[in-house]
Amino acid sequence: MATPVSGVDASKIRNFSIISHVDHGKSTLSDRILEITGAVDPRLMRAQYLDSMDIERERGITIKAQNVRVRFEGHILQLIDTPGHVDFGYEVSRSLAACEGAILLVDASQGIQAQTLANCYQAIEHNLEIVPVLNKIDLPAADPERCKEELERVLGLPGDEVLSISAKTGQGVRELLEAVIERIPAPVGDPAAPLQALIFDSVYDQYRGVISSIRVVQGTLRERVRIRMMQSGATHELEEIGVRTPEMSPVSALGPGEVGYIVAGIKDVSGARSGETITEAARPASSALEGYRDPKPMVFCGIYPIDGDDLGLLRESLDKLRLNDASITYEPESSRALGFGFRCGFLGLLHMEIVRERLEREFNLDLIATAPSVAYRAYLSDGTEVGIDNPTDLPDPSRLDHIDEPMLEISILTPAEFLGTVMDLCQTRRAEMVKMDYLSAERVELRYLIPLAEVVLDFFDALKSRTKGYASLDYEPHGYVTSNLVRVDLLINHEPVDAFSTIVHRANAEFYGRKMAERLRELIPRQLFDVPIQAAIGGRVIARETVKARRKDVLAKCYGGDITRKRKLLEKQKEGKKRMKNLGRVEVPQEAFVAALRLEE
């Protein structure tokens, strides 16, 4: 039996995560667990209690993983509520590293979805004990027997071990907690060994600095000791250690298997990165724990303030946001059309949308975001490799040997009746089928290799609309492949507008160019001269539209008289238009940029 530490017997601790597909009821189940264990005063209880951001509540999604310690039947349960959306999968993998078990939540009316599979495989990779649970059994459409049979056949989880609950009404949740105590193993670790604790999340508090969520693996973490970060080598004085119950409660020590938080006056989240190992400076451990791979940005876009004077505020806002979300990358860039701004990297389209919304809300900014693009690799004729995340950086075609684009392996789960329309969608997006499995007579899993650039625009929306919302999507990176890619530039009055440049497959270039030229013709106000709008690849124009000139009637004052007088006035007007066309610059209004770039959404 493990030795008790700070009054906690390690054999009485259970660390577990709740994992599922998006919208299968993780946050609602967390709410019921808080109620049943009496962790929150009933008067203060609210829906999605652990979701702390307004944007999480409004959208009904979890963005940041949250942890809480509750007591139930003499045991300490340490629960981590994880996000379900594929863009935040890295939050899930970090949370699983702090647990011995996971509750796999499945909607009893929808059955296994793409994220269910992905998260379950992640839990299996971490050697976690899985407790399968069917949620929403109170719904009229629930079909628990079909879902149990699916879980057994697809994931090999015995049907008689699957629990049925309703997180909304609380039915079966007490039995679920008893199953957690029974099935999930207690943590193991030696309280006398040198300290090893893993940071699995960090948030920035403007009054206290960085607050890191940690899991003690070996040894004992005591207050007021000097700690050392094993990867970065930095040392800090511990100011406070504690546990979330769910409010922050200081404690004097944390032993092996315990999950809590630390405050050590760290001013920057990069000083307490996720995956960092903490040890005592005076008695360090011999080796660091296995950390995490840094999340790599997959989607890039330029973010520019509509008012150029807000550039400093935008930089400050990105700095502050990065303190809470270390997966954002950004660097300064300038555009002739939009002025100065930042090239930002995100984990996916939802991540991009949420960061932009938080910048506009929390920091009161008005922003323009350019069309999302992905990171390409360009190989030049002399053999050098150049990373391209901004289309305007693509070298001249005469110097290019070839371009590689990032690929994804996607998994789509769809009802069999929509199989044809889903396969048609994938083929039009240059996807190659890897395999197809029937999970049951009604449901099919499709695996495809597809270019990331084809997914970032509107693939998910198209998939949902073609399957009436029943299909689900999961993806993971799958290296780079050489493709026939070109850069399409938009020229307005023969001047290239860099904000509209994009890299597309040669087969789609003409369609994209024509669509953008037509869109801009509607958006650009008429001038006193004809304005040509051209889409070009290198020096070759592939599409053209013209914004017709506003006409001024110079003959209004001529009534009767000699025709030569009229001709002279028309010639004079023609000369003036020619001169104006050479000298005149076409100002593209901000609304036109916003509306034209919305095409990409």
Side-chain angles (χ1 to χ4, degrees), residues 42-113:
R43 290 170 304 170
L44 303 175
M45 192 62 201
R46 54 166 195 250
Q48 280 180 271
Y49 190 90
L50 293 179
D51 291 346
S52 51
M53 286 190 257
D54 290 344
I55 198 165
E56 289 181 308
R57 290 225 166 73
E58 282 169 27
R59 287 174 176 250
I61 57 173
T62 301
I63 295 167
K64 292 289 288 177
Q66 303 287 351
N67 69 83
V68 61
R69 174 190 280 211
V70 296
R71 291 181 180 274
F72 181 74
E73 294 186 353
H75 287 75
I76 283 180
L77 306 183
Q78 185 70 48
L79 147 74
I80 300 177
D81 177 23
T82 61
H85 195 280
V86 62
D87 279 13
F88 305 112
Y90 76 104
E91 291 267 343
V92 180
S93 67
R94 296 197 319 221
S95 308
L96 294 178
C99 301
E100 278 77 36
I103 293 175
L104 180 69
L105 210 54
V106 179
D107 186 325
S109 60
Q110 293 182 3
I112 290 176
Q113 299 285 303

Side-chain angles (χ1 to χ4, degrees), residues 16-18 25-40 45 49-50 68-72 76-81 103 105 133 165-178 180 245-246:
F16 66 97
S17 222
I18 306 179
K26 294 179 294 299
S27 297
T28 311
L29 176 58
S30 303
D31 289 350
R32 290 301 80 73
I33 291 174
L34 292 178
E35 277 180 5
I36 285 171
T37 57
V40 179
M45 192 62 201
Y49 190 90
L50 293 179
V68 61
R69 174 190 280 211
V70 296
R71 291 181 180 274
F72 181 74
I76 283 180
L77 306 183
Q78 185 70 48
L79 147 74
I80 300 177
D81 177 23
I103 293 175
L105 210 54
V133 179
I165 67 161
S166 165
K168 191 175 176 184
T169 63
Q171 176 190 343
V173 178
R174 192 168 281 280
E175 291 77 6
L176 167 59
L177 292 178
E178 287 164 2
V180 163
T245 61

Side-chain angles (χ1 to χ4, degrees), residues 33 297 316 344-345 393 401 408 429 487 497 514 562 566:
I33 291 174
E316 242 172 77
C344 304
D393 295 341
D401 183 56
L408 295 180
R429 298 301 177 97
R487 184 177 78 204
V497 181
R514 213 169 38 242
D562 190 358
K566 290 185 180 177

Side-chain angles (χ1 to χ4, degrees), residues 281-461:
R283 191 168 73 112
S286 56
S287 62
L289 298 164
E290 195 178 321
Y292 313 106
R293 289 194 302 272
D294 272 351
K296 288 255 185 306
M298 313 234 322
V299 176
F300 296 85
C301 83
I303 290 185
Y304 295 84
I306 285 181
D307 180 353
D309 294 343
D310 286 343
L311 182 71
L313 178 58
L314 175 58
R315 180 195 297 276
E316 242 172 77
S317 310
L318 281 166
D319 284 343
K320 285 179 179 168
L321 207 55
R322 190 176 155 78
L323 291 173
N324 276 338
D325 185 351
S327 57
I328 307 169
T329 63
Y330 57 92
E331 55 184 43
E333 76 165 3
S334 64
S335 150
R336 275 200 302 202
L338 299 173
F340 292 96
F342 293 90
R343 189 94 196 147
C344 304
F346 307 94
L347 299 171
L349 277 189
L350 178 71
H351 188 215
M352 174 175 122
E353 209 180 301
I354 280 172
V355 167
R356 182 179 160 187
E357 198 169 321
R358 285 185 69 189
L359 284 169
E360 292 188 331
R361 273 185 184 201
E362 295 173 22
F363 304 101
N364 207 12
L365 286 161
D366 284 328
L367 302 172
I368 290 180
T370 62
S373 65
V374 303
Y376 298 96
R377 289 179 186 163
Y379 292 86
L380 307 182
S381 318
D382 59 7
T384 51
E385 180 191 329
V386 186
I388 307 286
D389 57 32
N390 186 347
T392 52
D393 295 341
L394 191 68
D396 187 77
S398 60
R399 295 171 51 216
L400 267 180
D401 183 56
H402 65 275
I403 307 173
D404 287 3
E405 66 176 333
M407 301 293 286
L408 295 180
E409 183 170 350
I410 59 171
S411 159
I412 299 172
L413 267 72
T414 174
E417 63 187 284
F418 301 116
L419 184 60
T421 181
V422 170
M423 289 171 79
D424 176 59
L425 171 67
C426 292
Q427 275 154 7
T428 58
R429 298 301 177 97
R430 303 190 284 131
E432 277 177 43
M433 185 183 278
V434 179
K435 67 171 186 174
M436 177 166 88
D437 287 327
Y438 273 84
L439 302 184
S440 66
E442 303 86 42
R443 282 156 52 77
V444 190
E445 182 191 8
L446 295 163
R447 282 192 171 272
Y448 277 94
L449 285 181
I450 187 170
L452 172 59
E454 297 287 348
V455 176
V456 297
L457 296 184
D458 60 350
F459 184 83
F460 189 61
D461 293 348

